[in-house]
Amino acid sequence: MAHGGGSNNDSNRTSSVNVNNNGNGNRFVSLDSDDQLHLDDSNSSFHLSNGDHPGLSLLSNLLVGNNYNSWSCVITMALVAKNKLCFVDGSLPCPFMDDPFYTSRSRCHSMIVSWILHDVSKEIAESIMYIDNYVDTWNDLHDRFHQSNGPRIFQIKQLLSGISQGSSDVSSYFTKLKTLWDELK
């Protein structure tokens, strides 16, 4: 059973799952109280707080293409802070439909895709909004915009070769230099 982000004793937990048919051919799963507590646990990857909503923008700067490296770094930090990175990096396996966490994972999936769509430009959002899987969305953005973009590497190297302290204080100069070096990584 996929639990993402719980405590170490999750593997020792047993859960009782009741799969019911509501008479319309729709199956639903009811959780025992331990599973419900796990879903309500703020340390669980499945937990969504009251402030989490589909219109939420996690970042102040949208991905427009040439800022992928910095965007990726910041959105990764935001997803780690919300305990949701395991959904997009593929480290949380997809549960089967009869898994008691399937509905929670689907809800988190929709929320994360919505957040990503709100943190990219309109043009990029239109190109990823029909991708069914958030891992595929994450990988698509990486493949298209990651720093392996030759012209961007050339541009950064030119900026590095031409940078000088000038009238800037040491702190400002070092910050500019470090930002460019970090983007080259």
Side-chain angles (χ1 to χ4, degrees):
M1 185 171 354
H3 286 299
S7 63
N8 290 339
N9 63 3
D10 281 344
S11 60
N12 298 330
R13 285 178 51 249
T14 59
S15 63
S16 109
V17 177
N18 299 314
V19 179
N20 302 305
N21 189 324
N22 67 1
N24 296 331
N26 297 327
R27 294 175 58 198
F28 63 95
V29 177
S30 59
L31 305 175
D32 69 8
S33 60
D34 286 343
D35 285 325
Q36 190 58 47
L37 288 173
H38 183 73
L39 293 175
D40 294 337
D41 178 8
S42 63
N43 292 319
S44 169
S45 295
F46 296 105
H47 176 76
L48 292 170
S49 71
N50 292 337
D52 294 334
H53 58 86
L56 182 65
S57 181
L58 300 178
L59 310 177
S60 56
N61 293 325
L62 300 179
L63 172 63
V64 292
N66 64 353
N67 65 335
Y68 175 80
N69 292 333
S70 58
W71 177 89
S72 175
C73 181
V74 175
I75 199 159
T76 298
M77 284 190 280
L79 291 171
V80 166
K82 290 195 161 289
N83 201 13
K84 302 291 185 268
L85 186 63
C86 60
F87 288 94
V88 298
D89 70 4
S91 63
L92 184 66
C94 189
F96 293 106
M97 289 184 75
D98 60 351
D99 188 298
F101 292 99
Y102 181 81
T103 302
S104 295
R105 184 184 173 106
S106 295
R107 188 175 69 240
C108 287
H109 169 269
S110 296
M111 192 69 69
I112 293 166
V113 168
S114 178
W115 292 341
I116 291 173
L117 289 173
H118 282 87
D119 288 318
V120 299
S121 69
K122 182 180 177 186
E123 294 78 20
I124 294 172
E126 289 173 355
S127 74
I128 62 173
M129 67 189 314
Y130 297 109
I131 298 176
D132 292 334
N133 182 311
Y134 43 77
V135 174
D136 292 342
T137 300
W138 190 253
N139 290 337
D140 178 70
L141 292 173
H142 179 270
D143 292 346
R144 281 196 282 162
F145 300 113
H146 188 264
Q147 179 197 340
S148 61
N149 179 344
R152 180 64 182 151
I153 293 171
F154 178 76
Q155 181 184 28
I156 293 170
K157 287 182 177 180
Q158 275 192 319
L159 290 170
L160 280 169
S161 69
I163 196 168
S164 66
Q165 183 176 351
S167 62
S168 299
D169 59 60
V170 174
S171 171
S172 297
Y173 172 69
F174 178 74
T175 300
K176 288 178 188 174
L177 192 61
K178 183 170 179 352
T179 301
L180 290 170
W181 273 111
D182 287 347
E183 192 173 346
L184 263 182
K185 288 184 190 175

